[in-house]
Every structure is written in structure tokens, then in C-alpha cells.
Amino acid sequence: MEDLKARYGQALMNTFGPPKLVLTRGQGAHVWDHTGRQYLDLLGGIAVNSLGHAHPALVEAVTTQLQTLGHVSNFFATEPQVRLAERLLDLLGAAGNGKVFFANSGTEANEAAFKLTRRTGRTHVVATEGAFHGRTMGALALTSKAAYREPFEPLPGNVTFVPYGDAAALAEAVTDQTAAVIVEPLQGEAGVVAPPLLYLQQAREITSGHGALLWLDEIQTGIGRTGAWFAHQNPAVAASQAALADIVTLAKGLAGGFPIGALIATGEAADLLGPGNHGTTFGGNPVAATAALAVLDTIEKEGLLEHVTALGHHVRSELDKDDRVTEVRGAGLLIGLDLSEPVSAEVTSAALEAGFIINNPTPERIRLAPPLVLTEEQADSFLVAWPGLLDTAYGTSP
């Protein structure tokens, strides 16, 4: 184990930089490294481990399904795949008015959705500044950060970027030649940035006025993360659900750590992709679908939507009490905050040293996306330590 970091550097491509830790096991909201040291996981695999680590319901569901039927191609149907599609449509409020395509990741779900928009006969897409939608060539074309895009240009083209949350700029960019507008209800990778409460409703009105599709990227925000099944259903994020989105993409927390992605399309958009237009080998396999169903069942049985709402409010209100925190944002257990100085890397390092895993998406921002099963006691252990972490990062006392 001691030389695993060195072996990692020799055997794996350097796309992520050197690993911070060698982790060996997890239980609930905790993980342990190879030395046996325990950490409170407040990042959850970047909003993936909805039920934490080794949740009995998820372990049992996956084990049982794998012993029954592990994989078949999409030439065949399986009950878990169909049941999961029906369940997602029901949660979205699109039962009888939508269809699902399953993939293996959020990027794949967005790639499929991007292809779907081309079936409208239009090619223009409007995306937002600060957005992150993935790193494959199509999804990357929709991601605003120039440092990500420019090394791989030319990308699939005709994408216009507008300021996030600016309805007037969106209205100016969308035309009768626009295929779709893609927007995150909360921008996760930007540091949990929220738009005005009316923004998604305005986006729906603008797209409908031009016959364009409204595409909500809920890859990071969906499946209970904000205290609602979908962030756009949360009144703390959007003042009104308005009309149903034409496209919703999901991944991350959907199967609690098992790879899955989902493209949900409603209305006429549900039939835009036909035989031969898209495909996948592993997408929707019965193990992944069963894992997702176990996550959905557990969220319901354990009352995690209500728990996430209450605990998120508690954590945000406590974080906001330190003067070195200039703003706290988010909903549920997707939390972002701004620091008064660009020391987020130092805060993250101090937290890791103290036994807490957090994330710094930008030099002045911290992001928390812990498992939905995080307890108040566990959260409070971090909140008690928080001022000291800032002291270490700032090199001073408050």
C-alpha cells in the first residue's frame, strides 16, 4: 500500500494529477485510508454516493441481481431496466408522456441528449457561462471553460454561451434556429451557483416561444441532492416548475456509486431518437438499474428528502456565521460558499489533515456534497472544526 501512489503514477494516465489519498474502505459517511485513518466524506464521490458507502440496501440489491442476471445486450429487455425508466418518468411527472435512454455516466447522457437535439433539424444550442456538462467532444462543446475546450477544438459547433441567470441575455440569444437551451438548475462545478428563482420558468417561456427544447442538466443536482427528487422541483431553487422540461439528464447520485446515466425526454422530444440513431453496450444493464432502484427506494423509506432539506439548512446557517465566509449558497446537501480570500486550496488541505474531505472548485470557493445519509452529529463535527480550518488556511485567528 505504501508504494501505491508511485505505482498509480506509473500505470495510470495523468489526467487527474496525483491522488490525495489511498482509500481502502468506506462505511456510511466515513472512509478509511491505507493507514487506517478515518475521514468524514463531505464530497461523496462528487455528489455520487447518495447512500454513503456500503449501504446494506444497495449491497444486497446489487449482489442479488448479479447472482441472477448480470448483463444482457440491449437486444433484450430486463425488468429492472423497464421499472427504473417508469419510476424516473413518474418522479419527473412525465408518466405516459416521456421515454428514457440509459447510459453509463453523466457525460454519456449529455452526449445522447446533444444528438437528440440535432434530430430537430436545427443545430444551434445555447449554453451558459460557468457551465460544466462533461468532457467528451459533444459535451465539452457545451462546457464554457475555455481551458477545457480550446485544446480540443474544433468541437461540434454552433454553441452560444450567455451569462448564467440572465434571462434577457438568454432571450436575445435564442432564435427560431435554436435547437435547445441547456442549463443547470444549480451550477455545481462552478461552486454551487444559483440563478434567480424565476430563471428556469423564463427559460421555459423563451424556448417555447421559439420552438426550441429546454434541456435541464440535473446530473449533479438530481435524485434528492437538494432535498427534492429534481432540483428544478425545489421551490428554493425555482419559483415554479413551469412547464415540464423537454430533456432532463441524470447520473451521479442515481445509483449511489454504480455507473449509470439517464436521458429523459418528454412530449415530442421523446420520439426524436429512433433505431440506429444512438446506442450503448452497458447502458441500462440490470445491475445498474437495480442499484438505482435501491437508491430510490431507500431515499423514500428513510425519509432522506426531508432529512437533506433540514440538515442542509442547518449546515448552511452555521457556515454563514464566520466573517471569512462572504456567501453561502445551495439547497439541501449541495452547498457552496465563497471565502474572503482565494485560499480554498489551503482550506481543503487543512480539512483533509483534520479528517474531512471537502472540495475547492475555484480558488475562493468551497463545495460540499456529502452522502444524503450524513447525520447531524457528523455534520456538527465538521462545523465545530470549521473555524480552526479557516484559521490554518488564513494563517491567523479570527
Side-chain angles (χ1 to χ4, degrees):
M1 284 294 184
E2 292 293 341
D3 67 338
L4 200 60
K5 285 188 179 181
R7 289 164 53 197
Y8 178 102
Q10 293 169 357
L12 280 87
M13 291 186 184
N14 188 30
T15 54
F16 303 105
K20 298 180 183 298
L21 298 171
V22 176
L23 297 178
T24 58
R25 69 182 181 96
Q27 185 68 48
H30 286 107
V31 292
W32 285 261
D33 69 14
H34 69 286
T35 70
R37 188 178 182 200
Q38 176 180 290
Y39 301 83
L40 184 61
D41 182 5
L42 297 174
L43 185 57
I46 313 181
V48 167
N49 299 101
S50 307
L51 305 183
H53 303 272
H55 193 288
L58 185 57
V59 172
E60 180 182 2
V62 169
T63 302
T64 300
Q65 182 59 50
L66 195 56
Q67 292 173 334
T68 305
L69 187 66
H71 173 77
V72 296
S73 77
N74 280 298
F75 292 131
F76 307 97
T78 66
E79 190 267 347
Q81 181 190 51
V82 175
R83 189 154 59 93
L84 178 59
E86 292 172 339
R87 185 80 170 276
L88 291 175
L89 289 167
D90 184 58
L91 293 175
L92 187 62
N97 187 42
K99 294 177 182 176
V100 181
F101 176 86
F102 288 116
N104 306 291
S105 68
T107 295
E108 287 186 33
N110 278 344
E111 197 78 22
F114 197 8
K115 288 181 68 176
L116 182 149
T117 70
R118 291 292 178 92
R119 296 291 293 165
T120 65
R122 305 178 182 185
T123 60
H124 180 232
V125 176
V126 179
T128 60
E129 295 172 2
F132 181 86
H133 300 295
R135 294 181 185 269
T136 56
M137 296 295 275
L140 187 59
L142 306 168
T143 295
S144 71
K145 191 171 182 178
Y148 291 164
R149 288 186 293 109
E150 289 176 353
F152 302 99
E153 292 177 342
L155 297 167
N158 209 7
V159 178
T160 299
F161 292 100
V162 297
Y164 182 63
D166 186 336
L170 185 63
E172 185 175 350
V174 177
T175 73
D176 290 344
Q177 300 305 311
T178 302
V181 170
I182 178 172
V183 63
E184 298 161 273
L186 294 168
Q187 288 189 330
E189 296 301 310
V192 191
V193 178
L197 284 176
L198 289 175
Y199 182 62
L200 296 184
Q201 180 179 342
Q202 292 166 329
R204 174 71 282 179
E205 294 167 355
I206 292 166
T207 51
S208 294
H210 290 279
L213 303 175
L214 177 60
W215 170 3
L216 298 182
D217 180 336
E218 290 255 17
I219 286 165
Q220 187 163 159
T221 58
I223 313 301
R225 173 55 51 188
T226 69
W229 287 114
F230 301 92
H232 73 272
Q233 296 173 340
N234 190 330
V237 176
S240 171
Q241 290 189 48
L244 192 64
D246 302 292
I247 300 170
V248 176
T249 46
L250 297 169
K252 288 191 179 291
L254 178 55
F258 205 94
I260 194 171
L263 155 63
I264 308 173
T266 66
E268 295 181 2
D271 294 314
L272 286 176
L273 289 178
N277 289 156
H278 200 51
T280 174
T281 296
F282 297 105
N285 76 76
V287 181
T290 296
L293 287 165
V295 168
L296 299 179
D297 287 343
T298 303
I299 289 174
E300 284 190 338
K301 289 177 182 177
E302 297 188 4
L304 293 181
L305 297 183
E306 297 79 9
H307 170 73
V308 163
T309 299
L311 185 58
H313 177 76
H314 170 64
V315 173
R316 292 193 304 276
S317 63
E318 291 298 315
L319 289 171
D320 204 25
K321 292 180 178 179
D322 196 293
D323 290 341
R324 293 166 292 186
V325 175
T326 59
E327 183 181 21
V328 179
R329 300 174 301 276
L333 289 178
L334 183 60
I335 300 170
L337 60 87
D338 284 0
L339 301 170
S340 60
E341 300 289 341
V343 293
S344 66
E346 290 84 351
V347 173
T348 302
S349 295
L352 195 64
E353 184 62 29
F356 302 101
I357 297 174
I358 63 176
N359 174 246
N360 59 312
T362 74
E364 70 286 340
R365 287 179 174 167
I366 296 292
R367 173 177 51 169
L368 306 178
L372 308 186
V373 297
L374 182 76
T375 68
E376 185 171 349
E377 181 181 8
Q378 291 167 338
D380 283 344
S381 71
F382 172 70
L383 293 171
V384 168
W386 176 244
L389 303 180
L390 294 181
D391 289 348
T392 300
Y394 279 76
T396 184
S397 296

